[in-house]
Amino acid sequence: MRTILTFTSKKGKLVYSIGMRKLIGPIKTTAKGLGFMVDPKNPDQDIRLEEGSLNTALNGDTVEIEIGKDSSKVLSVISRAKTKFVGTITLEDNLAIVIPDDKKCYTKFNIPLKHLGDAKKGDKVQISLAEWNDPKTLPQAEVIRVIGKKGQNDAEMESIVLEKGFDTRFPP
């Protein structure tokens, strides 16, 4: 529950919100852009974060949230759970976009053409998240590895392994 206190002084009104809870912990996300966090005060009840309130948080990230009376929102991303993703290159409005394989990733990634490397439309690629500070824009990433054509057996197998965080390359 939130209590609002209003103080009036010669310089105007000051409004304070008392009782807002803030939590830090891992967030789980869905493909639709919803977020969930376990409430330590009630572990059987998840805190739901509606679409548009994730503030660049991705699945597994450690975040700080503010729990309001009617809604909750992510205040900041404290640390990323992962920065490498696997997906397929597409072209939309003359932009290189990666659609991630991870079903819990609710956003596409923008790849600046200078960071596309040898990747072409329809290629499975591994990307590295470069920056994402504005939830109104797509996250920026760069291609770090071309895996192969979408649908090819070897490319699909390798992309599954890479998405799980394993590397398929070995040093000499």
Side-chain angles (χ1 to χ4, degrees):
M1 185 163 161
R2 183 172 75 183
T3 304
I4 304 287
L5 298 177
T6 305
F7 299 96
T8 305
S9 70
K10 291 180 182 179
K11 294 184 179 181
K13 288 186 178 182
L14 299 173
V15 179
Y16 294 94
S17 178
I18 297 174
M20 296 288 278
R21 283 179 48 207
K22 291 183 181 178
L23 288 177
I24 294 176
I27 191 169
K28 293 181 180 166
T29 63
T30 70
K32 294 182 180 182
L34 299 174
F36 297 92
M37 184 183 278
V38 174
D39 187 346
K41 286 190 175 181
N42 187 0
D44 295 332
Q45 183 71 35
D46 282 345
I47 298 163
R48 181 181 168 122
L49 296 115
E50 296 297 329
E51 182 180 357
S53 65
L54 297 182
N55 191 21
T56 77
L58 296 169
N59 191 54
D61 289 351
T62 299
V63 297
E64 179 180 26
I65 67 167
E66 180 178 72
I67 304 168
K69 181 180 177 186
D70 299 322
S71 64
S72 301
K73 65 180 178 180
V74 173
L75 297 175
S76 64
V77 175
I78 294 170
S79 65
R80 294 272 181 211
K82 68 181 196 176
T83 57
K84 292 180 182 176
F85 299 86
V86 172
T88 305
I89 293 276
T90 64
L91 298 175
E92 297 178 12
D93 300 323
N94 292 327
L95 295 174
I97 301 292
V98 169
I99 299 171
D101 288 354
D102 184 350
K103 299 301 179 209
K104 293 184 179 185
C105 191
Y106 60 91
T107 187
K108 301 172 188 175
F109 295 85
N110 179 30
I111 311 296
L113 295 178
K114 65 182 178 184
H115 297 297
L116 194 56
D118 295 332
K120 295 175 183 56
K121 181 179 177 181
D123 282 348
K124 284 279 212 173
V125 294
Q126 184 180 37
I127 59 171
S128 178
L129 177 63
E131 183 178 306
W132 194 25
N133 299 318
D134 183 357
K136 294 178 182 131
T137 64
L138 291 178
Q140 300 290 306
E142 63 180 292
V143 173
I144 55 175
R145 186 174 187 173
V146 177
I147 301 167
K149 285 289 179 199
K150 179 179 176 156
Q152 290 180 339
N153 188 52
D154 288 348
E156 296 296 333
M157 298 283 281
E158 188 171 353
S159 65
I160 291 169
V161 171
L162 290 170
E163 184 61 39
K164 298 296 181 193
F166 297 100
D167 198 347
T168 58
R169 295 180 287 197
F170 298 99

